[in-house]
Amino acid sequence: MIQIKSGSVVKDVFKLWSITNLFPRAPIWRKVGILLCCSYLFCTWLIPPANAQDIPVLERKVTFSAKNERIDGVLRRLSQEARCVFSYSSSALDVSRTISKSFKDRPLREVLEVIFEGEVQIKEKGVYVILTRKPPSPKDVVVSGYIVDEAGQGIRDATVYEPISLKSSTTNQYGYFQFEVKNPAEENFELIVNKKDFSDTLLVEEKSSFQRIFLKADDVKFDEFGKNLSNSAKTFWAWTKKSVGFTNLENVKDTIHRDFQISFLPFIGTNRKISGSVINDYSINILGGFSGGTTKAELGGLFNINKGDVKSVQLAGVFNQVGGKVKGLQMAGVINANLDSVDGAQIASVGNFTTGEVKGLQMAGVLNITTANLQGTQLAGVANFTNRDVQGAQISSVLNIGRNVFGTQIGLFNYSDSISGVPFGLISFVRKGYHKVEIGANEMLPINISLRSGTRSFYNMLFAGVRPEQADSTTWAFGYGVGTSPRLGKKTFLNIELSAEQMNKGNVLALNVINRAYLGFDYQISKGFGIYAGPTLNWRVYDSSYTDHPELFTYASPKIRSEKTIPIDNFASQFWIGFRGGVRFF
């Protein structure tokens, strides 16, 4: 074994001390000073700069020229240039061979690969560079090299892969890559190199173990700048931006197809670290997986993530994430999230989220959200939200929100810009719909205020009334109702309404509900102002055990046409015909 060293430190120290003997009469303190000065100069020569020490030995840049020079002599020069120690066996390596080469600012690794023509294994350990002969292996090829830009600088995070086996590597901070290809094809052996913001894919059709590949930077396209900003917002779901797999996803623009893949986790499977660029017919992810798309079926124990489109069936125990279009059935134990359209059915126990158009069914236990149009049905346990138009139905227990609804909304609260169908709910607000403020009187209370919202085909009413009087307690009422108002003429409308109000004296202490059916007419005198009037059928249900109910009538005396009591349950009822009228605004 031969080791080429840069010098013996111990011998050099004794040589430095011998220099002081040139001054035999000098006092000892002066000799020490001379020794320190010489030591400083020696150290500045022996010890490389801090930044050079930080750079790995094989990445240190060297510049030299050799003409018909033996390799062992070249290694001695490289040892001094790179400040390293070479360790090799002269019986294993032919160092007597002569070479004629020139290198300028090239990594030591690349220089050694060229000198030994790729037949030597190169390893580093500290400042030692160990050189051994490569064992013959016709079935395996170790591919390595540097990816550099036009200035010769190494390009970090470039993706290099072999498209048949999908073996890949990502360059380090110096632009170096290395991976092994088993059983490479004798013909059409090629490497594909991709890097974001650099030129189109470069194909290297040379079966060489070491490569130096140049990439050209793309010109800036200002017309695509806004598009790139938008697309970058869609990458939040990637496995991790610091991972090799994500780097490959950004770099590789080609689409690769596979009939079947199986993975344990993203980038740990048959499609390896290129999985984000592979479209599969069938995909099985034991825990979770990441792919370029699915054409037939995908099953995930926990989750499925697809960069592109998904067709037919996608099932996951927790969530599905799709960057492209979904056509077929998408079902998840918790949530489905798509960054494009859905044509089929999305079903999740918690929520569905889609940024594109939905054609079909969105069904969730809690929430459905689509930021584009909906053609079909949204069915949710809590809320539905469609940022644009709805053609179909939104059904939930609490809240429905849509822009222009061509269909119906059924929920506790409904909101829309406009609606051509009927919104059913406790409160339905249609921005371009029916909104009225009503002030009127009936046979019980002389002052009533009502707010109406919805459409003329179906609207909701919230109202309250009061009876001004000098008493210890105020008689007042509050209630809710629904109604419809079909047009009879240019300015005349029919009102059909059902309502219920609780009438109280002071606090609400006992049941005292007046259920009312109203049939009346609404005449619009001018835009934003009208009058109304009509008869009512009233059915009062109250607690007969409570003795302090307010008087029903103080300024009118309608006839009570029916009165019944149910002693067992302490309930009683009364029936009469009444009248109401007033004015409406807006």
Side-chain angles (χ1 to χ4, degrees):
M1 183 73 70
I2 296 176
Q3 292 185 349
I4 301 176
K5 300 182 179 180
S6 58
S8 173
V9 176
V10 176
K11 290 180 180 179
D12 289 337
V13 171
F14 280 109
K15 287 179 181 180
L16 287 173
W17 179 255
S18 65
I19 293 176
T20 62
N21 293 329
L22 296 176
F23 309 94
R25 296 182 179 180
I28 186 66
W29 63 267
R30 184 170 295 177
K31 290 185 178 183
V32 173
I34 294 171
L35 177 61
L36 292 174
C37 291
C38 293
S39 298
Y40 172 76
L41 295 174
F42 169 75
C43 291
T44 57
W45 171 82
L46 179 64
I47 302 175
N51 59 350
Q53 286 181 316
D54 294 339
I55 299 175
V57 171
L58 292 178
E59 305 300 343
R60 294 176 184 174
K61 300 292 183 68
V62 296
T63 299
F64 82 96
S65 179
K67 186 175 182 181
N68 294 324
E69 186 175 347
R70 285 169 57 101
I71 290 180
D72 51 0
V74 171
L75 292 178
R76 281 191 290 271
R77 292 173 55 191
L78 288 175
S79 175
Q80 296 176 357
E81 177 87 9
R83 300 181 184 276
C84 67
V85 178
F86 287 104
S87 178
Y88 62 89
S89 173
S90 58
S91 62
L93 302 182
D94 182 10
V95 294
S96 63
R97 180 168 56 88
T98 61
I99 62 169
S100 296
K101 297 287 183 180
S102 294
F103 300 92
K104 183 178 180 181
D105 289 332
R106 293 295 179 87
L108 178 61
R109 187 201 311 271
E110 180 180 347
V111 172
L112 294 175
E113 288 280 1
V114 174
I115 290 176
F116 290 103
E117 298 177 346
E119 296 180 354
V120 173
Q121 285 184 339
I122 305 170
K123 296 182 180 180
E124 63 176 298
K125 189 172 183 181
V127 296
Y128 288 90
V129 178
I130 304 170
L131 305 176
T132 58
R133 178 169 292 277
K134 285 183 179 179
S137 179
K139 293 186 178 181
D140 299 336
V141 173
V142 177
V143 183
S144 63
Y146 286 91
I147 309 298
V148 297
D149 59 19
E150 295 170 288
Q153 298 297 316
I155 298 175
R156 182 173 186 169
D157 292 333
T159 299
V160 186
Y161 71 96
E162 195 275 318
I164 302 301
S165 66
L166 298 184
K167 282 294 189 69
S168 66
S169 178
T170 303
T171 56
N172 63 14
Q173 65 188 95
Y174 305 103
Y176 179 72
F177 69 92
Q178 177 179 313
F179 63 95
E180 183 180 279
V181 179
K182 295 183 180 295
N183 301 316
E186 294 296 329
E187 298 180 357
N188 299 324
F189 177 72
E190 59 186 22
L191 297 178
I192 300 180
V193 183
N194 297 115
K195 173 60 181 173
K196 185 181 179 182
D197 298 329
F198 279 77
S199 57
D200 293 337
T201 302
L202 174 66
L203 302 179
V204 185
E205 300 180 355
E206 181 180 348
K207 194 174 178 181
S208 172
S209 62
F210 188 83
Q211 307 283 344
R212 183 177 176 84
I213 303 171
F214 294 88
L215 293 185
K216 181 181 178 181
D218 286 337
D219 295 330
V220 178
K221 298 179 180 180
F222 290 98
D223 58 338
E224 296 184 358
F225 181 71
K227 182 179 178 181
N228 291 335
L229 287 177
S230 176
N231 290 338
S232 65
K234 294 185 176 183
T235 62
F236 73 94
W237 46 268
W239 183 246
T240 169
K241 283 195 172 183
K242 295 182 179 179
S243 71
V244 174
F246 183 79
T247 301
N248 291 341
L249 173 65
E250 285 192 325
N251 294 336
V252 180
K253 302 299 188 296
D254 298 329
T255 299
I256 305 166
H257 184 268
R258 288 288 184 271
D259 294 333
F260 173 81
Q261 81 85 29
I262 184 169
S263 65
F264 184 73
L265 283 171
F267 314 124
I268 305 176
T270 55
N271 288 338
R272 309 177 190 274
K273 296 175 182 178
I274 302 293
S275 62
S277 300
V278 181
I279 296 176
N280 309 289
D281 286 343
Y282 297 94
S283 177
I284 296 178
N285 303 307
I286 297 174
L287 292 182
F290 180 39
S291 67
T294 303
T295 60
K296 293 183 180 179
E298 183 171 45
L299 175 64
L302 295 180
F303 62 89
N304 301 305
I305 302 176
N306 285 253
K307 181 186 73 172
D309 300 341
V310 171
K311 295 180 181 179
S312 298
V313 179
Q314 187 181 50
L315 307 176
V318 178
F319 73 88
N320 291 305
Q321 180 85 42
V322 178
K325 299 176 181 179
V326 173
K327 187 173 184 179
L329 172 64
Q330 187 181 53
M331 185 180 296
V334 178
I335 190 170
N336 293 307
N338 298 337
L339 302 181
D340 208 315
S341 62
V342 173
D343 187 355
Q346 270 189 319
I347 302 173
S349 63
V350 175
N352 295 303
F353 173 81
T354 302
T355 63
E357 186 177 48
V358 174
K359 294 182 179 179
L361 171 67
Q362 272 192 323
M363 184 167 64
V366 178
L367 176 66
N368 291 309
I369 296 177
T370 177
T371 62
N373 296 328
L374 168 69
Q375 295 184 35
T377 302
Q378 280 185 322
L379 180 62
V382 177
N384 294 305
F385 174 83
T386 299
N387 190 50
R388 305 196 69 180
D389 297 346
V390 175
Q391 293 185 7
Q394 289 183 310
I395 304 171
S396 73
S397 62
V398 180
L399 176 65
N400 296 303
I401 297 176
R403 192 174 70 171
N404 300 312
V405 179
F406 302 91
T408 187
Q409 291 178 313
I410 302 174
L412 194 62
F413 303 100
N414 300 302
Y415 174 86
S416 64
D417 235 23
S418 66
I419 187 169
S420 61
V422 178
F424 293 100
L426 178 66
I427 298 177
S428 297
F429 184 86
V430 182
R431 193 174 70 86
K432 299 177 182 178
Y434 179 74
H435 308 290
K436 296 290 182 181
V437 175
E438 173 185 299
I439 300 176
N442 57 37
E443 69 279 4
M444 296 191 309
L445 301 175
I447 300 176
N448 292 277
I449 298 177
S450 173
L451 301 177
R452 298 158 169 250
S453 178
T455 64
R456 282 201 175 270
S457 59
F458 187 86
Y459 53 84
N460 309 107
M461 301 181 298
L462 293 173
F463 54 87
V466 65
R467 179 187 298 161
E469 57 186 352
Q470 293 182 351
D472 295 336
S473 299
T474 301
T475 299
W476 63 286
F478 64 92
Y480 171 82
V482 296
T484 182
S485 181
R487 181 185 293 271
L488 298 179
K490 185 177 180 180
K491 295 184 176 183
T492 306
F493 298 88
L494 180 67
N495 296 150
I496 303 172
E497 297 173 357
L498 296 174
S499 64
E501 65 178 330
Q502 168 74 23
M503 191 172 181
N504 313 287
K505 182 178 180 182
N507 296 327
V508 181
L509 299 176
L511 178 69
N512 189 25
V513 175
I514 291 86
N515 302 285
R516 180 178 294 115
Y518 169 72
L519 179 64
F521 297 92
D522 179 353
Y523 182 78
Q524 292 296 116
I525 296 176
S526 63
K527 183 179 180 180
F529 179 75
I531 58 175
Y532 72 93
T536 61
L537 297 178
N538 301 272
W539 180 46
R540 179 192 179 200
V541 177
Y542 62 98
D543 184 354
S544 60
S545 65
Y546 185 72
T547 59
D548 197 23
H549 289 298
E551 289 186 60
L552 283 179
F553 317 115
T554 57
Y555 63 93
S557 300
K559 181 180 178 181
I560 302 297
R561 299 184 177 271
S562 174
E563 191 166 2
K564 296 180 180 181
T565 60
I566 307 176
I568 297 176
D569 296 324
N570 293 323
F571 286 145
S573 66
Q574 293 176 322
F575 177 79
W576 72 91
I577 298 175
F579 187 86
R580 54 186 287 244
V583 295
R584 291 175 180 154
F585 303 93
F586 308 117

